[in-house]
Amino acid sequence: MKDFISMVQADTLFIENIISLSSFLKEKQKKGELYRPLKGFTAALIFEKPSTRTRVSFEVGVYQLGGHGVYMDTRSSQLGRGEPIKDTARVLSRYVDLIVIRTFGQGRVEELAKYSNVPVINALTDEEHPCQVLADLFTIWEYKRNLKGLKVAYLGDGNNMCNSWLIGAAYAGMKFYAATPEGFEPLKEYVEKAKEIAKETGAEIVLTHDPVKAVKDADVIYTDVWASMGQEEEAEKRKQIFMPYQVNAELVKHAKPDFLFMHCLPAHRGEEVTNEVIEGERSVVWDQAENRLHTQKALMLKLVRKTTF
């Protein structure tokens, strides 16, 4: 694998390998042991969308592995003046060892990867958020020591998170129930691909409009904001549509007693989740956020140094 621009590029072995390597890297950091296999390595970090966790985790991750990250946004690069993404790819490939991009259309990442001679990582598009799902799977594994057969209930908008989760859950052999309002389902191609993968892995992929059905006996309850970046004008309208999918104390009673609550953050308390749940004892959102650092370090090592575990 040269690039990681879609969760579809993964497979069961890839996910297992990332989890093992992430665990190794996290343990080294906890012990305060320096591990710098990317000394002299440079990464270009292109951010055309705002970011907190993604930007900081990649910048810190590159540094901790001994490398250097060069942050670029549209205001401080020629991309903001209309330079074609393929030209940027060909130029950066001669300067850096890796390109990380957070942008809008999935096609933009695909074109960057096509013309780049170095690995490209998708740090979020309107269609996918694969790095987040790797961190999510690692977090669940830390708590459950297993993924196969676990039930994940995803509630809310069938957005980029839901698309990537469909594929990740399918490869991991999980039961993935996505509960969305009518008209807000995940993209059909991701649903079909997930079901195709499920035939090989024993996963279960279910789409429903019933949040209780999704949450019943769930091991993990997952949600995301109701209005993603670029949808701010729809926020008020979406609140009315999505309120039945709010993760609150009443809804989580249907899950297993030891369920994990997850959210990719930032969270809008009182909308997709209540303060009581996100601050409750079943919430693992802070571990989940931390694990972005460890899984992205693992991903960079795998792509650049072909490290396996």
Side-chain angles (χ1 to χ4, degrees):
M1 181 189 295
K2 170 183 167 282
D3 310 298
F4 185 64
I5 60 175
S6 170
M7 202 64 201
V8 174
Q9 293 176 292
D11 56 28
T12 304
L13 183 61
F14 175 88
I15 290 170
E16 291 173 352
N17 201 245
I18 289 292
I19 288 173
S20 296
L21 185 51
S22 300
S23 182
F24 167 80
L25 292 168
K26 188 171 184 177
E27 190 62 27
K28 275 201 169 293
Q29 182 170 313
K30 283 170 62 178
K31 293 178 179 177
E33 297 177 2
L34 292 179
Y35 182 64
R36 294 182 168 171
L38 297 185
K39 187 176 181 181
F41 159 101
T42 306
L45 310 175
I46 303 173
F47 280 71
E48 297 182 316
K49 282 189 174 188
S51 173
T52 298
R53 281 151 293 278
T54 303
R55 176 182 174 178
V56 175
S57 56
F58 266 113
E59 283 199 50
V60 171
V62 171
Y63 171 78
Q64 288 182 350
L65 291 173
H68 176 70
V70 179
Y71 176 77
M72 303 169 60
D73 61 23
T74 51
R75 291 173 299 174
S76 59
S77 71
Q78 295 299 330
L79 285 168
R81 299 182 64 222
E83 180 173 55
I85 195 77
K86 63 182 180 181
D87 292 1
T88 297
R90 288 181 284 203
V91 170
L92 290 181
S93 295
R94 300 186 180 214
Y95 297 150
V96 303
D97 305 287
L98 171 73
I99 302 173
V100 177
I101 182 168
R102 181 180 177 95
T103 187
F104 296 89
Q106 182 72 13
R108 196 159 171 78
V109 177
E110 292 170 357
E111 184 174 13
L112 182 70
K114 178 180 178 180
Y115 288 94
S116 171
N117 292 323
V118 299
V120 172
I121 293 176
N122 178 356
L124 179 140
T125 63
D126 293 341
E127 195 169 302
E128 284 208 48
H129 199 355
C131 289
Q132 179 68 58
V133 173
L134 291 181
D136 296 341
L137 292 171
F138 174 48
T139 305
I140 296 169
W141 177 86
E142 280 191 306
Y143 278 89
K144 303 294 187 180
R145 293 292 153 172
N146 177 52
L147 295 177
K148 192 171 180 65
L150 295 181
K151 181 178 179 180
V152 178
Y154 181 98
L155 289 92
D157 190 13
N159 57 14
N160 52 1
M161 276 308 319
C162 191
N163 291 334
S164 290
W165 245 112
L166 276 162
I167 306 302
Y171 279 132
M174 306 174 88
K175 300 174 183 177
F176 187 75
Y177 281 59
T180 67
E182 289 189 36
F184 293 90
E185 297 85 357
L187 291 175
K188 184 179 179 182
E189 54 263 40
Y190 285 89
V191 177
E192 292 177 347
K193 182 62 178 178
K195 289 183 176 180
E196 179 185 324
I197 296 167
K199 293 176 183 177
E200 301 295 326
T201 64
E204 185 179 345
I205 305 298
V206 178
L207 268 60
T208 179
H209 301 304
D210 183 351
V212 174
K213 177 181 178 180
V215 171
K216 184 174 174 55
D217 296 325
D219 297 283
V220 178
I221 299 176
Y222 200 110
T223 193
D224 190 9
V225 294
W226 292 338
S228 298
M229 283 179 282
Q231 298 173 333
E232 288 80 6
E233 292 182 1
E234 304 173 26
E236 288 304 315
K237 179 182 178 181
R238 282 172 170 257
K239 283 180 187 178
Q240 299 174 28
I241 297 170
F242 284 91
M243 191 53 73
Y245 299 84
Q246 182 187 71
V247 181
N248 52 42
E250 189 60 34
L251 183 62
V252 302
K253 289 178 182 177
H254 298 280
K256 290 182 179 177
D258 63 345
F259 80 94
L260 304 177
F261 171 73
M262 304 182 77
H263 193 305
C264 54
L265 301 179
H268 294 171
R269 289 164 170 80
E271 292 183 19
E272 72 272 7
V273 62
T274 61
N275 192 67
E276 179 182 9
V277 171
I278 197 170
E279 298 289 353
E281 61 178 10
R282 303 314 310 161
S283 175
V284 298
V285 297
W286 315 119
D287 292 333
Q288 181 187 359
E290 177 192 340
N291 284 339
R292 291 291 302 279
L293 172 65
H294 307 301
T295 54
Q296 285 161 191
K297 285 165 67 174
L299 180 60
M300 289 188 285
L301 278 177
K302 189 162 181 63
L303 293 180
V304 177
R305 290 287 185 259
K306 308 303 179 186
T307 306
T308 57
F309 261 65

